[in-house]
Amino acid sequence: MNGAKYHIHTYGCQMNVHESEKIAGLLQARGFSSCEDVAEADVIVMNTCCVRETAETKVLGHLGRIKSQKKKGAVLIVCGCMTQQRAVAEMLYKRCPFVDIIIGTFNQGSVTEYIDTFLATDKRIVDIWDKERDTKEVSCAVRDDDINAWVNIMYGCNNFCTYCIVPYVRGRERSRPLDEIISEVNSLLDRGYKQITLLGQNVNSYDCGGKNFIDLLKMLDNGREYRLKFMTSHPKDFSIALAEEIGRSKVLSHNLHLPVQAGSNSVLKAMNRHYTREEYFDKINAVREAVPDIGLSSDVMVGFPTETEEDFLETLDLVERVRYNNLFMFIYSRRDGTPAAKMPQIDYKTKQGRISRLIKTQFEISKQIALSMVGTELTVLTSEQKNGVFYGKAQNELAVSFTGDAKIGEFTRVKITSAKNANLAGEVKR
Ligand code: SAH
Ligand code: SF4
Ligand code: F3S
């Protein structure tokens, strides 16, 4: 397939976005080049997500469209979390004869070998592994962004929150060797990246060769000018020591994504989250004390099986008290194979009503936070310029648009002059 073109479509979280960058790296190492148009591609990869039903429905709809768009002889590969579920992989194999290769999350590092086998035999492939057989770190990722780079520090999850499919499709926690992470970060900084985001389902449990997450963060505070972020932190493992490290470090971004999921203790217990709302508030207070300008964000779910109206009101109350800069809000989605799928479910209308009320509450909070920022100065990492206006994110993860003398990929002090809804506008500080 010399001179062949590939097209990758990615669903899901940052972890998947980065997996796709690695798949692109493997394909380019074989001499393939990327193309925007599916109809031109010789190899099409769909990297899928299954965290909510909506993600799966979108993938199925998209596959239907690709069937008619793909050119004759093009190889269509479906991989990722959705196909890691064996039953889904088998369903796709039966129902979608135009899909040539179906693999999961553990074996997508061998994507080019699967392509070779398929081309040599002309036999469709479905191969799902139950766990990783040999840890093969792909070092040739082709990154989509030239300012922010994703770096895996661990894979998998051991937490088994009762609603969540991730532990079943990503396996148990595995930490990457410390020296490998440090050298990847250093080489990215040498290449000019200005922001590094460390990825793991639960970064607080990083543990490799006796070194923990805070040891890793200290080693990455290396005197160079860049912004270091991490996701995701589980509240049960978030420590005061980590809050203090955020305050002390010269590179760590002053933002913390600490997904609370729910505000009621009985729902948190049914979700198997291992913390109470009181403990969560204590951690929020500790981090605000250590880092007064911290920007907080969170994931919240409504309509979990046992959630009553009173439970939901406790979630609203928590959101109003914490006042997050950014909040990702979801309707609980039943996932086969998880414990919560067997609990009595809440009707769709109730869930819809709750999410609308939550969105409205957060919208007001975002508006008030934005207004309170007017007159302050923020350090913005500029990522885009359109019609003379620059766009970027501040150290607390608030999005800012501004005018003045700036450069993409550089840090600029911006004075905030106005706020419209949750959007901040300003000008470069002279
Ligand atoms: N490891 C991370 C990310 C997990 S997936 C974490 O623990 O935070 C990202 C978010 O999707 C979760 O925080 C949760 O809010 C949401 N999510 C997971 N399973 C879900 C489900 N079955 N229905 C709705 N939202 C879900
Ligand atoms: Fe899912 Fe919970 Fe693991 Fe996050 S910590 S990936 S929500 S099981
Ligand atoms: Fe991410 Fe979706 Fe998998 S959220 S870990 S791509 S199920």
Side-chain angles (χ1 to χ4, degrees):
M1 286 192 110
N2 276 345
K5 290 190 178 149
Y6 69 86
H7 176 97
I8 304 181
H9 196 93
T10 311
Y11 285 92
C13 61
Q14 286 83 0
M15 194 79 77
N16 245 24
V17 169
H18 187 41
E19 297 282 352
S20 287
E21 292 178 338
K22 294 183 193 173
I23 293 173
L26 292 167
L27 294 171
Q28 290 200 10
R30 277 296 176 94
F32 296 8
S33 58
S34 86
C35 69
E36 291 280 315
D37 188 359
V38 187
E40 269 181 33
D42 303 287
V43 171
I44 304 163
V45 181
M46 290 273 280
N47 191 6
T48 62
C49 170
C50 58
V51 77
R52 283 169 287 276
E53 196 182 353
T54 41
E56 292 198 319
T57 315
K58 274 192 211 150
V59 170
L60 292 172
H62 195 174
L63 269 179
R65 292 197 299 281
I66 288 184
K67 180 187 174 191
S68 56
Q69 290 167 335
K70 75 171 191 148
K71 70 180 184 189
K72 204 165 174 276
V75 182
L76 176 54
I77 302 161
V78 186
C79 64
C81 292
M82 181 173 157
T83 42
Q84 180 59 40
Q85 306 165 92
R86 200 171 281 280
V88 176
E90 279 159 14
M91 177 277 287
L92 269 187
Y93 187 78
K94 278 200 202 102
R95 288 226 225 126
C96 304
F98 55 95
V99 177
D100 304 300
I101 300 171
I102 301 168
I103 51 181
T105 57
F106 297 117
N107 55 350
Q108 54 201 27
S110 306
V111 65
T112 49
E113 285 125 70
Y114 285 107
I115 296 175
D116 290 342
T117 311
F118 173 73
L119 291 175
T121 60
D122 201 26
K123 279 210 181 88
R124 296 174 69 215
I125 298 170
V126 55
D127 191 19
I128 308 303
W129 296 0
D130 292 325
K131 53 180 189 285
E132 208 158 35
R133 290 186 196 160
D134 60 310
T135 314
K136 192 157 64 168
E137 192 59 46
V138 175
S139 57
C140 55
V142 171
R143 295 168 196 271
D144 288 334
D145 192 316
D146 41 24
I147 297 169
N148 174 70
W150 311 108
V151 173
N152 286 114
I153 64 162
M154 50 195 302
Y155 300 95
C157 181
N158 290 352
N159 289 322
F160 291 96
C161 303
T162 54
Y163 49 81
C164 185
I165 192 92
V166 172
Y168 304 91
V169 294
R170 290 279 178 180
R172 296 297 68 74
E173 277 175 6
R174 312 151 324 257
S175 295
R176 250 182 103 187
L178 193 91
D179 49 351
E180 212 176 285
I181 299 169
I182 308 251
S183 74
E184 184 173 355
V185 170
N186 280 329
S187 84
L188 289 163
L189 296 177
D190 290 344
R191 280 159 56 196
Y193 281 94
K194 287 296 158 71
Q195 178 173 289
I196 302 288
T197 308
L198 306 176
L199 294 178
Q201 298 297 352
N202 183 12
V203 292
N204 307 98
S205 359
Y206 179 83
D207 177 13
C208 203
K211 300 281 187 206
N212 63 27
F213 185 52
I214 296 179
D215 297 328
L216 172 65
L217 292 179
K218 282 193 194 306
M219 292 177 83
L220 292 173
D221 186 7
N222 52 11
R224 301 178 72 160
E225 195 200 28
Y226 75 106
R227 188 179 274 174
L228 181 62
K229 305 205 307 182
F230 56 82
M231 63 192 326
T232 300
S233 241
H234 193 302
K236 78 174 161 56
D237 301 316
F238 182 83
S239 62
I240 308 288
L242 179 51
E244 285 167 354
E245 182 58 21
I246 300 176
R248 196 201 58 77
S249 169
K250 293 214 166 39
V251 290
L252 274 175
S253 155
H254 283 190
N255 92 289
L256 176 68
H257 184 64
L258 202 61
V260 69
Q261 311 298 357
S264 124
N265 284 336
S266 65
V267 172
L268 287 171
K269 191 152 197 285
M271 287 177 162
N272 194 32
R273 291 290 288 180
H274 294 284
Y275 53 85
T276 61
R277 67 185 261 128
E278 293 76 20
E279 284 161 352
Y280 186 85
F281 282 133
D282 285 347
K283 295 198 178 185
I284 295 290
N285 290 339
V287 74
R288 283 205 158 122
E289 199 164 301
V291 195
D293 68 339
I294 194 87
L296 296 165
S297 62
S298 191
D299 296 344
V300 172
M301 196 184 297
V302 303
F304 180 82
T306 57
E307 187 186 73
T308 61
E309 173 65 15
E310 287 68 37
D311 291 323
F312 170 67
L313 291 176
E314 289 208 80
T315 296
L316 275 187
D317 176 70
L318 183 141
V319 166
E320 274 165 355
R321 284 180 197 225
V322 176
R323 303 177 66 78
Y324 296 105
N325 278 6
N326 291 303
L327 187 61
F328 302 90
M329 299 165 268
F330 306 108
I331 291 182
Y332 163 78
S333 170
R334 184 182 193 163
R335 303 284 67 205
D336 276 346
T338 62
K342 297 189 202 84
M343 300 177 186
Q345 305 288 308
I346 289 181
D347 67 280
Y348 192 68
K349 214 171 136 216
T350 305
K351 291 198 228 178
Q352 272 290 341
R354 288 183 188 163
I355 196 105
S356 317
R357 285 151 73 196
L358 180 61
I359 291 171
K360 211 166 137 220
T361 301
Q362 179 59 31
F363 183 75
E364 283 309 313
I365 295 170
S366 300
K367 232 163 76 175
Q368 289 162 9
I369 290 179
L371 263 182
S372 75
M373 300 308 292
V374 174
T376 64
E377 271 178 36
L378 297 173
T379 303
V380 178
L381 176 55
T382 312
S383 56
E384 221 187 322
Q385 182 191 12
K386 251 192 273 167
N387 306 326
V389 181
F390 291 97
Y391 298 85
K393 288 259 178 91
Q395 70 273 26
N396 56 11
E397 275 299 287
L398 286 172
V400 179
S401 65
F402 63 98
T403 51
D405 196 13
K407 265 204 190 116
I408 291 182
E410 286 190 356
F411 294 98
T412 309
R413 288 292 283 175
V414 175
K415 178 145 186 154
I416 304 302
T417 50
S418 69
K420 197 173 166 209
N421 294 334
N423 305 315
L424 296 178
E427 52 202 37
V428 175
K429 170 131 195 312
R430 271 172 294 205

